[in-house]
Amino acid sequence: MNLDEYRTLDATALAALVAAREVTPEELLDLARQRADAVNPALNAIVMRLDGAAIDQVARGVDGPLAGVPFLIKDLAQEYQGYPTSSGSKALARDVAKQHSNVVQRFLDAGLVIFGKTNTPEFGAKGVTESEYWGPAHNPWHTDHTPGGSSGGSGAAVAAGIVPVAGANDGGGSIRIPAACNGLVGLKPSRGLSPFGSALGEVMFGMAVQGAVTRTVRDAAAVYDAIYGPTASSVYPTPSATTPFTEQITTPPTKLRIGYSTASAINPSPDREAIAAVEHAAQLLTELGHHVEEVTPPYDDAALAKDFLTVWFAWVAHEIDDAKALGASDSDFEADTLAMGELGRSAGVVPAFRALSHVNDYVLSLESFHRDHDYFLTPTLATPPLRIGATTTSPLLQRASRVIAKAHAGNLLARTGILDDLIEQSLGWVPYTQLANLTGRPAISVPLHWTATGLPLGVQFVGRLGSDGDLLALAAQLEQAAPWVQRYADISL
């Protein structure tokens, strides 16, 4: 097998070749490393190589449904024993994992060969991957643009053909945003379906989930089959799947009722390419026999954005405190991170609990919507992937943030208007993804649209709780009707 052939095959196909002994795990690992050596200098997608661990893993023998497939994990909440998990921060650069996280162990149990960790923004706090510690990751479709975040390194690595699938997680869109930016499939599973732990319990009060980005729907089904279900450290049980996802996707859905909208109070004027993406998806769905209609969004996304960020800022404050307990100082954090943490700290407990109490309102709104519609269709992004640096905070505001954070004058920081600035800059181009995190509902981004300049821009479907398999089946139907797997990012080396 050569590199060109390797790049055209998904994980399911590679695993089948390994099982048939037509190729060895050693050969596949060598090809993945060659591809990484060739393209990663232009992408900065992989920030830590685990070549020695991967060679040892293969030498011991691999087994499982995806045995022998090269794989990358995210350098955030996907701990690999004996290696640091920086979470994109200088503050945690030496935080060596004492054991594999539960999801990483399940990746290994599936036979995936882990040879590196991917780039992420500090604490996964942004929809772009541009940490000061690791530097920006680049989009292989156009390297001046972001691959999204916070699983941007994973998205770039898959789109560039380094691996067919890579680990990711999602607390506010961090699987779906990179999928949309890189022309990939990105499922944010239902709350509790994929495992956190054992070092971390539920992250962001259950809003964050583990998963992957893939080129094909069948790979997404295979990966989620491999990681599905609770562990001994889970907070609550997850119902056992009656039918594997890999089987569910073989049966096309019957006639569905789908409501779509591009409206957003955060971004009242989505880019015409985002609108075109949804219109194209609606037309395709209609041709497939589904009932599609434009609807008013079933929730107030401006209110939801403030509730989401209130919870997020409280979580960032907790992350900063944990890092400081390990010896970090303010100089080890980015100014924006300090600002978020100080906003969360100064707000106090009541606003965070009030925001969490509003989650039930959003759940009830979706419950009402789903009485008449199977899925809610939106753009995944309100604009095409941003140019790198587009959301960078001004040097003046960064300096002010550091001074105010040091003085613990968060109330003063709030009066600078930074909250509105963070909503506009951080969520203005991705206002559609946080709904699924707050409500725990599954959502998937599929690559049905490319812009006139050749950049991907996905569309998102939000489903009922537990409808993960149904979402994958719909994605498989769309993949068959409008194939995307033959499109490859031709990065300029």
Side-chain angles (χ1 to χ4, degrees), residues 336-352:
D336 287 356
T337 304
L338 290 173
M340 292 180 205
E342 187 55 33
L343 284 168
R345 186 177 291 106
S346 65
V349 174
V350 173

Side-chain angles (χ1 to χ4, degrees), residues 25-304:
E26 289 86 354
E27 290 173 309
L28 294 183
L29 177 59
D30 184 56
L31 288 167
R33 292 168 63 195
Q34 286 181 43
R35 183 64 178 168
D37 290 342
V39 302
N40 197 58
L43 299 177
N44 196 29
I46 304 172
V47 293
M48 188 184 306
R49 292 285 285 266
L50 281 63
D51 293 46
I55 292 169
D56 289 345
Q57 181 189 352
V58 169
R60 291 191 303 270
V62 290
D63 192 17
L66 295 169
V69 176
F71 192 72
L72 299 164
I73 56 176
K74 183 177 177 181
D75 192 33
L76 171 70
Q78 294 188 348
E79 293 83 9
Y80 195 104
Q81 184 178 5
Y83 290 86
T85 302
S86 77
S87 302
S89 178
K90 179 183 176 182
L92 296 175
R94 297 180 181 177
D95 186 23
V96 176
K98 296 180 175 63
Q99 59 186 7
H100 298 319
S101 63
N102 286 328
V103 72
V104 168
Q105 186 60 59
R106 290 192 174 174
F107 289 146
L108 293 168
D109 292 343
L112 293 163
V113 179
I114 299 172
F115 72 99
K117 304 190 80 172
T118 59
N119 205 345
T120 185
E122 188 166 58
F123 298 149
K126 295 182 178 179
V128 296
T129 301
E130 300 176 19
S131 76
E132 293 176 6
Y133 181 61
W134 289 122
H138 298 261
N139 192 315
W141 293 92
H142 197 311
T143 54
D144 288 342
H145 293 256
T146 182
S150 64
S151 307
S154 291
V158 174
I162 298 174
V163 289
V165 55
N169 36 50
D170 191 319
S174 293
I175 289 174
R176 291 157 289 155
I177 294 167
C181 287
N182 292 283
L184 306 175
V185 178
L187 171 68
K188 189 228 81 121
S190 293
R191 184 170 299 171
L193 186 148
S194 57
F196 261 91
S198 57
L200 285 173
E202 282 200 312
V203 174
M204 285 183 66
F205 310 99
M207 295 178 193
V209 294
Q210 298 280 16
V213 286
T214 70
R215 288 185 60 231
T216 64
V217 176
R218 69 177 186 174
D219 276 2
V223 170
Y224 283 99
D225 276 341
I227 66 173
Y228 182 97
T231 67
S233 61
S234 295
V235 179
Y236 41 76
T238 301
S240 298
T242 55
T243 306
F245 295 140
T246 46
E247 293 183 23
Q248 290 186 50
I249 63 172
T250 62
T251 303
T254 55
K255 185 174 181 178
L256 300 169
R257 290 184 61 86
I258 298 170
Y260 75 89
S261 177
T262 61
S264 167
I266 303 171
N267 189 335
S269 301
D271 191 274
R272 57 187 176 84
E273 292 279 13
I275 296 171
V278 169
E279 290 176 343
H280 167 61
Q283 179 182 351
L284 180 59
L285 289 160
T286 301
E287 292 170 357
L288 290 169
H290 302 301
H291 176 80
V292 185
E293 61 182 352
E294 188 169 10
V295 297
T296 301
Y299 69 108
D300 181 345
D301 70 329
L304 183 141

Side-chain angles (χ1 to χ4, degrees), residues 426-459:
S426 296
L427 303 185
W429 75 292
V430 287
Y432 308 106
T433 56
Q434 297 78 39
L435 171 67
N437 296 92
L438 264 74
T439 61
R441 270 53 191 165
I444 194 168
S445 180
V446 290
L448 292 179
H449 185 74
W450 268 256
T451 70
T453 58
L455 282 166
L457 201 168
V459 296

